[in-house]
């Protein structure tokens, strides 16, 4: 098994830095704009893309992402559109693309078929916020067969036994949830994040991404001091909602510590 | 024995499809509940509360004037409407509140549709001196405004939920989000037999007293088991509480009535088992109403308490086994039955409950005059006067 996400995280580390993982939902505000925004996100510094599939009951998400995905669904987003969008994005940028999805859409599409179609579209794997390893056998089999990454979540409340199991079944990275809560910008990164990553290290984790509540360059730098990846979502979604694709380009450049924005002319 | 099933799975249904952040709390709850279940002290405390506070055992009322419209079958009502707070919901709430207190939680949160579960939770919070927050879809805060006032008078904070379809399903989402952020001091007091393990199993256990009492009462009254035991099904708590004691009595037919809203051939219904298919919603695999992509569909029912696109996993299992049947009842049929019971017997049922009554009107004709039908009268209709007033034009017009 070779993981493109792990290879990317390792390459960043070799360059002496951590990776920026940028989240956007597909279909917000439209399929086309979400594709342009995803491309701009990579062109301006995201090393890995996390593309969310809009879902009717996103229990892990705060208001910003809830409202964006609700809008995507109201605008007619369909699951079958996702694979074409992933294909177009992976044709245009080289950063690995992980899809973030709640579990029921995958079940209804067919776990095996979903894995096959995601692979064909150039996707690197899945992040599954409401699928725990205990319930994931079908997905573990399908992702092995199609050589896809599977990113499971670890929480400050997880026991050591559960952390060990999560590390064992994850591929790509382990998603360390920084705080006991849902997605959305927060003033400070919870100290629980650092503790959780230390516990994951002790249990043998080589690749860890920290997410939930990270929205500024300072927070990204702080997290990348102890983790391979910093995951930013709501702040990027807000920028897209407020200022369109050029807003995404600016915030991506800021989050990745670049002084200049790439390709904005094309997006404005 | 079917009665021995304790989750996490009921056949292929159930499980735990929730964010990892909640697993520690669910494990803590499972352990605590399993300990309470075999602890005579806990059981005695709960039974004492039921005797001195809930008003258990609830009585059985035979309703011959109503039964005259149901093929003259013998119809018996298990009067959960006479419980303190007006419905079966209190059985589960007192049980869970005691468990929550044992594990040191000081704050109760709940979702509510009709408001009955919210009122029961606010009541328990007042009784035990705990903080209480109830999430309620904005649509439901309007149609059950009386219950919003009751909860606030009891000292609970009621938060209207304005995302998604603004009904029960979205209230559950908000409660789950609150719980993820506050698990340290908070117990999520889920109001039906849905959700991740251990909820379907624990909530069922707290309600199975309904069927256990009924089974003895009916045997004493009639000398035999009833031919059919029926209940309305939203998430399924009053129905499973009634069915459970009869699961291993093969001669007893078990029938759950789902809300067919404006009809199962329209998109506006909540007939989850009749029209849905298995999927994952609110932490469990079960039947649910969903589109081709697995997006949850909005349900419709005139009764807020049945207006839910999911159903508890144990019901999905009983359906697939063929042990229980699930049939649809429309808004109009339920409202007709509500008025009929009011006028023939002087008992005003909740609109949720009226779905089971409407079902029994047909079932009685099917089974004939020798048959005995036991109905779980899950709640009283006071909370529904706004809806009934509009439906029957009771406020200023001449009744239609
Ligand atoms: C009186 C009454 N009956 C039935 C229900 C439906 O819930 P369940 O199917 O869990 O019994 C409700 C829910 O609010 C209710 O208030």
């Amino acid at each position: 098994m070779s993981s493109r996400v792990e290879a990317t995280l390792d390459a960043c580390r070799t360059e002496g830095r951590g990776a920026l993982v940028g989240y956007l939902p597909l279909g917000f505000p439209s399929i086309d704009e979400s594709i342009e925004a995803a491309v701009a996100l990579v062109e301006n510094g995201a090393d890995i893309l996390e593309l969310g599939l809009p879902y009717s009951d996103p229990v892990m998400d705060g208001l910003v992402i809830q409202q964006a995905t609700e809008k995507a669904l109201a605008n007619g987003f369909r699951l079958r559109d996702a694979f074409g969008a992933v294909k177009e994005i992976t044709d245009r940028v080289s950063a690995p693309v992980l899809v973030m999805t709640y579990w029921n859409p995958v079940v209804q599409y067919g776990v095996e078929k979903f894995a096959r179609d995601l692979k064909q579209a150039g996707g690197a794997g899945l992040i599954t916020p409401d699928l725990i390893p205990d319930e994931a056998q079908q997905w573990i089999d399908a992702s092995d067969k199609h050589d896809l990454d599977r990113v499971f979540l670890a929480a400050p409340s997880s026991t050591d036994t559960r952390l060990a199991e999560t590390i064992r079944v994850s591929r790509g990275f382990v998603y360390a949830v920084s705080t006991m809560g849902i997605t959305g910008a927060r003033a400070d990164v919870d100290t629980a994040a650092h503790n959780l990553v230390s516990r994951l290290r002790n249990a043998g984790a080589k690749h860890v991404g920290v997410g939930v509540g990270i929205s500024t360059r300072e927070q990204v730098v702080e997290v990348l001091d102890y983790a391979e990846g910093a995951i930013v979502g709501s702040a990027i979604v807000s920028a897209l909602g407020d200022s369109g694709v050029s807003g995404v380009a600016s915030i991506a450049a800021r989050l990745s510590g670049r002084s200049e924005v790439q390709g904005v002319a094309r997006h404005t | 024995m079917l009665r021995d099933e304790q989750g996490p799975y009921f056949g292929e249904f159930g499980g735990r499809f929730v964010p990892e952040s909640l697993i520690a709390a669910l494990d803590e709850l499972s352990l605590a509940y399993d300990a309470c279940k075999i602890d005579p002290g806990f059981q005695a405390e709960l039974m004492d509360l039921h005797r001195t506070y809930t008003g258990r055992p609830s009585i059985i009322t035979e309703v011959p004037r109503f039964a005259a419209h149901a093929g003259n079958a013998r119809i018996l009502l298990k009067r959960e409407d006479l419980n303190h707070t007006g419905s079966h919901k209190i059985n589960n709430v007192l049980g869970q509140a005691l468990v929550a207190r044992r594990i040191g939680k000081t704050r109760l949160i709940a979702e509510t549709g009709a408001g009955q579960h919210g009122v029961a939770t606010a009541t328990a919070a007042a009784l035990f001196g705990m903080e209480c927050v109830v999430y309620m879809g904005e649509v439901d805060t309007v149609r059950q405004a009386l219950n919003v006032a009751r909860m606030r008078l009891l000292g609970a904070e009621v938060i209207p939920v304005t995302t998604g379809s603004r009904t029960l399903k979205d209230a559950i989402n908000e409660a789950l989000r609150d719980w993820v952020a506050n698990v340290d001091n908070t117990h999520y007091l889920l109001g039906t037999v849905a959700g991740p393990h251990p909820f379907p199993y624990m909530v069922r256990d707290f309600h199975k007293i309904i069927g256990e009492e009924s089974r003895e009462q009916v045997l004493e009254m009639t000398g035999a088991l009833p031919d059919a035991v029926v209940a309305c099904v939203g998430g399924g708590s009053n129905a499973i509480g009634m069915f459970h004691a009869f699961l291993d009595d093969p001669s007893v037919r078990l029938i759950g009535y789902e809300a067919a809203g404006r009809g199962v051939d329209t998109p506006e219904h909540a007939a989850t088992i009749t029209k849905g298919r298995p999927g994952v919603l609110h932490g469990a695999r079960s039947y649910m109403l969903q589109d081709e992509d697995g997006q949850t569909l909005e349900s419709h029912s005139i009764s807020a308490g049945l207006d839910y696109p999911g159903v508890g996993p144990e019901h999905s299992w009983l359906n697939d086994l063929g042990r229980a049947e699930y049939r649809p009842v429309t808004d109009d049929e339920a409202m007709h039955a509500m008025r009929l019971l009011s006028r023939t017997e002087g008992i005003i049922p909740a609109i949720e409950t009226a779905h089971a009554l409407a079902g029994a009107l047909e079932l009685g004709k099917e089974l004939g005059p020798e048959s005995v039908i036991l109905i779980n009268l899950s709640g009283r209709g006071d909370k529904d006067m706004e809806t009934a007033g509009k439906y029957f034009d009771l406020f200023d017009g001449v009744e239609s």
Side-chain angles (χ1 to χ4, degrees):
Chain A
M1 278 317 139
S2 64
S3 162
R4 285 179 50 216
V5 169
E6 288 177 12
T8 302
L9 294 173
D10 292 341
C12 289
R13 183 94 320 168
T14 309
E15 290 172 26
R17 64 189 185 91
L20 176 65
V21 182
Y23 167 92
L24 278 174
L26 282 173
F28 173 72
S30 65
I31 284 280
D32 286 345
E33 282 167 280
S34 66
I35 292 170
E36 293 308 322
V39 170
L41 188 52
V42 175
E43 286 178 343
N44 288 281
D47 300 288
I48 295 169
L49 271 178
E50 174 185 348
L51 298 177
L53 300 186
Y55 174 57
S56 53
D57 296 276
V59 292
M60 198 48 207
D61 285 308
L63 212 52
V64 168
I65 293 176
Q66 279 179 53
Q67 284 170 345
T69 52
E70 225 175 274
K71 177 133 193 234
L73 289 171
N75 289 349
F77 172 85
R78 294 297 311 269
L79 196 50
R80 56 172 176 264
D81 303 333
F83 301 98
V86 169
K87 171 111 182 56
E88 187 170 341
I89 292 165
T90 53
D91 281 349
R92 287 170 61 181
V93 298
S94 59
V97 172
L98 289 166
V99 166
M100 193 296 269
T101 180
Y102 291 88
W103 192 234
N104 196 45
V106 182
V107 173
Q108 301 306 322
Y109 194 87
V111 178
E112 158 68 24
K113 185 166 157 240
F114 195 104
R116 183 198 68 197
D117 290 358
L118 180 62
K119 183 72 183 181
Q120 265 173 18
L126 287 185
I127 300 174
T128 49
D130 62 347
L131 184 71
I132 56 173
D134 324 46
E135 303 279 4
Q137 196 53 53
Q138 252 192 312
W139 165 233
I140 290 170
D141 294 342
S143 51
D144 277 348
K145 179 170 167 198
H146 293 284
D147 195 12
L148 289 166
D149 286 335
R150 41 178 190 256
V151 175
F152 290 101
L153 273 55
S157 58
S158 305
T159 59
D160 288 342
T161 315
R162 292 193 63 80
L163 290 185
E165 177 62 10
T166 303
I167 294 164
R168 193 181 68 76
V169 298
S170 293
R171 190 162 54 226
F173 59 88
V174 173
Y175 191 129
V177 178
S178 73
T179 184
M180 292 301 287
I182 55 177
T183 61
R186 285 175 180 74
D188 298 298
V189 177
D190 199 319
T191 50
H194 198 162
N195 289 338
L196 175 57
V197 176
S198 305
R199 290 175 59 218
L200 284 163
R201 294 286 180 228
N202 290 340
K206 297 207 170 51
H207 302 96
V208 178
V210 176
V212 177
I214 302 175
S215 61
T216 66
R217 172 66 188 161
E218 292 66 39
Q219 291 169 332
V220 168
V221 170
E222 180 189 337
V223 160
L224 290 182
D225 191 41
Y226 56 84
E228 282 69 33
I231 305 161
V232 182
S234 298
I236 299 172
V237 178
S238 290
L240 177 57
D242 293 344
S243 326
V245 173
S246 64
V248 172
S250 316
I251 192 172
R254 240 186 356 259
L255 289 168
S256 59
R258 294 186 184 182
S259 49
E260 279 184 32
V261 174
Q262 302 291 308
V264 198
R266 201 175 72 231
H267 302 302
T268 42
Chain B
M1 299 249 275
L2 296 175
R3 260 182 308 170
D4 295 337
E5 213 56 54
Q6 315 216 327
Y9 300 97
F10 298 89
E12 59 170 302
F13 302 105
R16 277 183 176 174
F17 296 85
V18 290
E20 172 67 21
S21 304
L22 288 179
I23 297 298
L26 292 170
D27 279 341
E28 178 188 38
L29 185 59
S30 295
L31 272 176
Y33 175 62
D34 284 339
C36 290
K37 190 170 173 162
I38 54 168
D39 175 358
F42 177 90
Q43 295 300 334
E45 191 176 5
L46 182 56
M47 280 318 297
D48 190 54
L49 268 176
H50 278 333
R51 248 190 329 269
T52 60
Y53 193 72
T54 310
R56 301 210 72 89
S58 62
I59 58 172
I60 298 247
T61 303
E62 180 157 11
V63 287
R65 278 170 43 76
F66 179 79
H69 299 264
N72 277 312
R74 201 170 168 193
I75 295 189
L76 308 176
L77 306 181
K78 176 65 172 168
R79 299 293 304 278
E80 293 296 300
D81 61 321
L82 297 180
N83 293 342
H84 180 45
T85 72
S87 80
H88 69 291
K89 298 284 182 189
I90 192 82
N91 301 326
N92 165 50
V93 164
L94 291 177
Q96 281 198 50
L98 283 180
V99 175
R101 201 171 60 171
R102 280 217 172 182
I103 51 182
K105 309 287 174 171
T106 56
R107 180 172 175 265
L108 299 178
I109 59 171
E111 84 295 343
T112 198
Q116 288 304 98
H117 174 61
V119 166
T121 305
T123 298
L127 179 65
F128 295 144
M130 294 163 104
E131 190 188 339
C132 182
V133 173
V134 179
Y135 292 95
M136 189 170 190
E138 197 179 40
V139 171
D140 295 333
T141 60
V142 175
R143 59 179 160 175
Q144 310 278 219
L146 212 55
N147 271 344
V148 175
R150 288 171 82 194
M151 289 182 266
R152 289 187 173 145
L153 185 62
L154 288 160
E157 183 185 357
V158 179
I159 302 183
V161 176
T162 58
T163 50
S165 61
R166 303 169 187 224
T167 59
L168 183 54
K169 118 182 146 59
D170 308 284
I172 295 177
N173 291 339
E174 268 316 291
L176 284 168
R177 292 182 187 114
D178 180 318
W179 203 28
V180 170
N182 300 297
V183 280
D184 276 353
N185 71 343
T186 298
H187 174 66
Y188 178 17
L189 212 159
L190 187 64
T192 190
V193 286
H197 180 73
F199 285 109
Y201 144 66
M202 177 176 65
V203 176
R204 178 259 274 156
D205 276 4
F206 286 134
H207 280 303
K208 71 188 169 67
I209 191 168
I210 303 171
E212 287 166 355
E213 286 176 6
S214 301
R215 195 171 180 283
E216 277 184 31
Q217 289 166 317
V218 173
L219 275 172
E220 193 166 305
M221 275 177 84
T222 71
L225 289 172
D227 297 288
V229 172
V230 309
C232 66
V233 179
S237 67
N238 89 87
I240 208 76
M242 184 54 132
F243 291 175
H244 193 258
F246 298 97
L247 285 181
D248 298 299
D249 296 320
S251 71
V252 179
R253 279 176 70 177
L254 305 175
I255 305 176
Y257 290 97
E258 303 190 304
R262 300 207 164 87
V264 288
D265 298 322
T266 74
E268 293 179 77
H269 63 77
T272 306
I273 293 181
T274 309
K275 296 292 281 190
R277 62 176 198 280
V280 172
L281 175 65
H282 293 146
R285 184 181 153 80
S286 197
Y287 277 82
M288 59 178 284
L289 299 176
Q290 55 185 318
D291 72 9
E292 194 193 333
D293 286 354
Q295 308 287 353
T296 312
L297 291 173
E298 283 185 25
S299 53
H300 166 86
S301 170
I302 193 167
S303 77
L306 304 185
D307 198 349
Y308 179 55
V311 68
E314 194 169 0
H315 285 293
S316 294
W317 176 64
L318 292 173
N319 176 72
D320 283 12
L321 285 177
R323 179 62 191 97
E325 298 163 59
Y326 297 86
R327 299 181 180 180
V329 166
T330 63
D331 289 350
D332 290 338
E333 289 165 335
M335 294 308 288
H336 166 75
M338 179 195 204
R339 184 168 59 182
L340 188 64
L341 188 72
S342 303
R343 297 209 166 162
T344 54
E345 302 285 351
I347 298 170
I348 300 177
I351 300 176
E352 290 78 14
T353 315
H355 287 71
L357 293 161
L361 289 174
E362 290 309 306
L363 187 66
K365 289 169 200 154
E366 234 173 277
L367 301 182
E370 302 304 314
S371 62
V372 175
I373 300 174
L374 171 67
I375 305 176
N376 190 4
L377 202 81
S378 59
R380 68 181 187 221
D382 308 41
K383 70 183 176 59
D384 293 316
M385 284 310 107
E386 183 72 27
T387 306
K390 282 195 192 121
Y391 189 90
F392 295 119
D393 207 4
L394 303 175
F395 291 128
D396 41 28
V398 178
E399 189 195 342
S400 55

